[in-house]
Short mmCIF file of all heavy atoms in Angstrom, two decimals:
data_model
loop_
_atom_site.label_atom_id
_atom_site.label_comp_id
_atom_site.label_asym_id
_atom_site.label_seq_id
_atom_site.Cartn_x
_atom_site.Cartn_y
_atom_site.Cartn_z
N PRO H 524 -30.09 6.23 2.97
CA PRO H 524 -30.55 6.53 4.34
C PRO H 524 -31.83 7.35 4.29
O PRO H 524 -32.11 8.05 3.31
CB PRO H 524 -29.39 7.34 4.93
CG PRO H 524 -28.62 7.86 3.76
CD PRO H 524 -28.80 6.87 2.66
N ASN H 525 -32.61 7.26 5.34
CA ASN H 525 -33.94 7.90 5.35
C ASN H 525 -33.85 9.41 5.12
O ASN H 525 -34.68 9.98 4.40
CB ASN H 525 -34.63 7.62 6.69
CG ASN H 525 -35.02 6.16 6.83
OD1 ASN H 525 -35.20 5.47 5.83
ND2 ASN H 525 -35.10 5.68 8.06
N TRP H 526 -32.85 10.07 5.70
CA TRP H 526 -32.77 11.52 5.57
C TRP H 526 -32.56 11.94 4.12
O TRP H 526 -32.97 13.03 3.72
CB TRP H 526 -31.66 12.09 6.46
CG TRP H 526 -30.28 11.57 6.15
CD1 TRP H 526 -29.64 10.54 6.76
CD2 TRP H 526 -29.37 12.07 5.14
NE1 TRP H 526 -28.39 10.36 6.21
CE2 TRP H 526 -28.20 11.29 5.21
CE3 TRP H 526 -29.44 13.10 4.20
CZ2 TRP H 526 -27.10 11.49 4.38
CZ3 TRP H 526 -28.34 13.31 3.37
CH2 TRP H 526 -27.19 12.51 3.45
N TRP H 527 -31.94 11.07 3.33
CA TRP H 527 -31.66 11.38 1.92
C TRP H 527 -32.96 11.46 1.12
O TRP H 527 -33.06 12.22 0.15
CB TRP H 527 -30.75 10.29 1.37
CG TRP H 527 -30.14 10.55 0.01
CD1 TRP H 527 -30.79 10.75 -1.17
CD2 TRP H 527 -28.74 10.61 -0.30
NE1 TRP H 527 -29.90 10.92 -2.20
CE2 TRP H 527 -28.62 10.84 -1.69
CE3 TRP H 527 -27.58 10.48 0.44
CZ2 TRP H 527 -27.39 10.94 -2.34
CZ3 TRP H 527 -26.36 10.58 -0.20
CH2 TRP H 527 -26.28 10.81 -1.57
N LEU H 528 -33.96 10.68 1.53
CA LEU H 528 -35.20 10.56 0.76
C LEU H 528 -36.31 11.48 1.23
O LEU H 528 -37.39 11.50 0.65
CB LEU H 528 -35.69 9.10 0.81
CG LEU H 528 -34.68 8.04 0.31
CD1 LEU H 528 -35.23 6.65 0.56
CD2 LEU H 528 -34.40 8.24 -1.18
N GLU H 529 -36.07 12.24 2.30
CA GLU H 529 -37.12 13.11 2.83
C GLU H 529 -37.51 14.19 1.83
O GLU H 529 -36.65 14.79 1.18
CB GLU H 529 -36.66 13.75 4.14
CG GLU H 529 -36.57 12.75 5.29
CD GLU H 529 -36.03 13.42 6.55
OE1 GLU H 529 -35.74 14.64 6.49
OE2 GLU H 529 -35.89 12.72 7.57
N GLU H 530 -38.82 14.44 1.71
CA GLU H 530 -39.30 15.44 0.75
C GLU H 530 -38.88 16.86 1.16
O GLU H 530 -38.41 17.64 0.34
CB GLU H 530 -40.82 15.36 0.64
CG GLU H 530 -41.31 14.10 -0.08
CD GLU H 530 -42.82 14.13 -0.28
OE1 GLU H 530 -43.40 15.22 -0.15
OE2 GLU H 530 -43.38 13.06 -0.56
N LYS H 531 -39.08 17.18 2.43
CA LYS H 531 -38.71 18.51 2.92
C LYS H 531 -37.35 18.41 3.61
O LYS H 531 -37.23 18.42 4.83
CB LYS H 531 -39.76 19.04 3.90
CG LYS H 531 -41.12 19.26 3.25
CD LYS H 531 -42.12 19.81 4.26
CE LYS H 531 -43.48 20.05 3.61
NZ LYS H 531 -44.47 20.58 4.58
N GLN H 532 -36.37 18.30 2.78
CA GLN H 532 -35.02 18.08 3.27
C GLN H 532 -34.34 19.39 3.64
O GLN H 532 -34.37 20.35 2.88
CB GLN H 532 -34.22 17.35 2.19
CG GLN H 532 -32.88 16.82 2.66
CD GLN H 532 -32.13 16.17 1.51
OE1 GLN H 532 -31.19 16.75 0.98
NE2 GLN H 532 -32.58 15.01 1.08
N GLN H 533 -33.73 19.41 4.83
CA GLN H 533 -33.00 20.58 5.27
C GLN H 533 -31.63 20.61 4.58
O GLN H 533 -31.03 19.57 4.34
CB GLN H 533 -32.80 20.54 6.79
CG GLN H 533 -34.08 20.66 7.59
CD GLN H 533 -34.70 22.03 7.46
OE1 GLN H 533 -34.00 23.05 7.46
NE2 GLN H 533 -36.02 22.08 7.35
N PRO H 534 -31.11 21.79 4.24
CA PRO H 534 -29.75 21.86 3.69
C PRO H 534 -28.75 21.30 4.68
O PRO H 534 -28.84 21.55 5.89
CB PRO H 534 -29.53 23.37 3.46
CG PRO H 534 -30.90 23.95 3.40
CD PRO H 534 -31.76 23.13 4.31
N LEU H 535 -27.80 20.54 4.19
CA LEU H 535 -26.78 19.95 5.04
C LEU H 535 -25.71 20.99 5.36
O LEU H 535 -25.34 21.80 4.52
CB LEU H 535 -26.13 18.74 4.34
CG LEU H 535 -27.09 17.62 3.93
CD1 LEU H 535 -26.34 16.55 3.14
CD2 LEU H 535 -27.74 17.00 5.16
N GLY H 536 -25.20 20.93 6.58
CA GLY H 536 -24.17 21.87 6.99
C GLY H 536 -22.77 21.28 6.90
O GLY H 536 -21.81 21.91 7.34
N ALA H 537 -22.64 20.08 6.34
CA ALA H 537 -21.35 19.39 6.33
C ALA H 537 -20.31 20.12 5.49
O ALA H 537 -20.63 20.66 4.43
CB ALA H 537 -21.54 17.96 5.82
N HIS H 538 -19.06 20.08 5.96
CA HIS H 538 -17.93 20.61 5.19
C HIS H 538 -17.25 19.50 4.40
O HIS H 538 -16.53 19.79 3.45
CB HIS H 538 -16.93 21.27 6.13
CG HIS H 538 -17.42 22.55 6.72
ND1 HIS H 538 -16.70 23.71 6.70
CD2 HIS H 538 -18.59 22.86 7.35
CE1 HIS H 538 -17.38 24.68 7.28
NE2 HIS H 538 -18.54 24.18 7.70
N LEU H 539 -17.44 18.27 4.85
CA LEU H 539 -16.87 17.12 4.15
C LEU H 539 -17.98 16.10 3.89
O LEU H 539 -18.73 15.75 4.80
CB LEU H 539 -15.75 16.48 4.98
CG LEU H 539 -14.97 15.32 4.36
CD1 LEU H 539 -13.56 15.25 4.96
CD2 LEU H 539 -15.64 13.97 4.56
N LEU H 540 -18.07 15.65 2.65
CA LEU H 540 -19.06 14.64 2.27
C LEU H 540 -18.34 13.50 1.57
O LEU H 540 -17.62 13.72 0.60
CB LEU H 540 -20.13 15.24 1.35
CG LEU H 540 -21.18 14.28 0.78
CD1 LEU H 540 -21.99 13.63 1.90
CD2 LEU H 540 -22.11 15.01 -0.20
N SER H 541 -18.51 12.29 2.11
CA SER H 541 -17.91 11.10 1.50
C SER H 541 -19.03 10.13 1.12
O SER H 541 -19.87 9.78 1.95
CB SER H 541 -16.95 10.43 2.49
OG SER H 541 -16.55 9.16 2.01
N ILE H 542 -19.03 9.72 -0.16
CA ILE H 542 -20.06 8.79 -0.65
C ILE H 542 -19.35 7.59 -1.29
O ILE H 542 -18.58 7.75 -2.25
CB ILE H 542 -20.97 9.45 -1.69
CG1 ILE H 542 -21.59 10.74 -1.12
CG2 ILE H 542 -22.06 8.50 -2.13
CD1 ILE H 542 -22.40 11.54 -2.13
N SER H 543 -19.61 6.41 -0.76
CA SER H 543 -19.04 5.18 -1.31
C SER H 543 -20.15 4.35 -1.94
O SER H 543 -21.21 4.15 -1.34
CB SER H 543 -18.36 4.37 -0.20
OG SER H 543 -17.28 5.09 0.37
N THR H 544 -19.90 3.88 -3.16
CA THR H 544 -20.88 3.04 -3.86
C THR H 544 -20.17 1.81 -4.41
O THR H 544 -18.97 1.83 -4.68
CB THR H 544 -21.52 3.82 -5.04
OG1 THR H 544 -20.48 4.29 -5.91
CG2 THR H 544 -22.32 5.01 -4.54
N ASP H 545 -20.94 0.73 -4.59
CA ASP H 545 -20.38 -0.49 -5.17
C ASP H 545 -20.95 -0.70 -6.57
O ASP H 545 -21.69 0.15 -7.10
CB ASP H 545 -20.62 -1.70 -4.27
CG ASP H 545 -22.10 -1.99 -4.05
OD1 ASP H 545 -22.94 -1.46 -4.81
OD2 ASP H 545 -22.43 -2.75 -3.12
N GLU H 546 -20.63 -1.85 -7.16
CA GLU H 546 -21.04 -2.10 -8.55
C GLU H 546 -22.54 -2.31 -8.71
O GLU H 546 -23.06 -2.28 -9.82
CB GLU H 546 -20.29 -3.32 -9.11
CG GLU H 546 -20.54 -4.63 -8.36
CD GLU H 546 -19.60 -4.81 -7.18
OE1 GLU H 546 -18.89 -3.84 -6.81
OE2 GLU H 546 -19.58 -5.92 -6.61
N THR H 547 -23.27 -2.48 -7.59
CA THR H 547 -24.72 -2.68 -7.69
C THR H 547 -25.50 -1.37 -7.66
O THR H 547 -26.71 -1.37 -7.86
CB THR H 547 -25.22 -3.57 -6.54
OG1 THR H 547 -25.07 -2.87 -5.29
CG2 THR H 547 -24.44 -4.88 -6.48
#
Side-chain angles (χ1 to χ4, degrees):
N525 291 335
W526 60 265
W527 191 299
L528 303 174
E529 290 177 0
E530 289 185 16
K531 296 181 179 180
Q532 191 183 104
Q533 294 292 320
L535 302 175
H538 289 231
L539 184 153
L540 176 61
S541 169
I542 305 174
S543 298
T544 56
D545 61 16
E546 61 273 11
T547 67

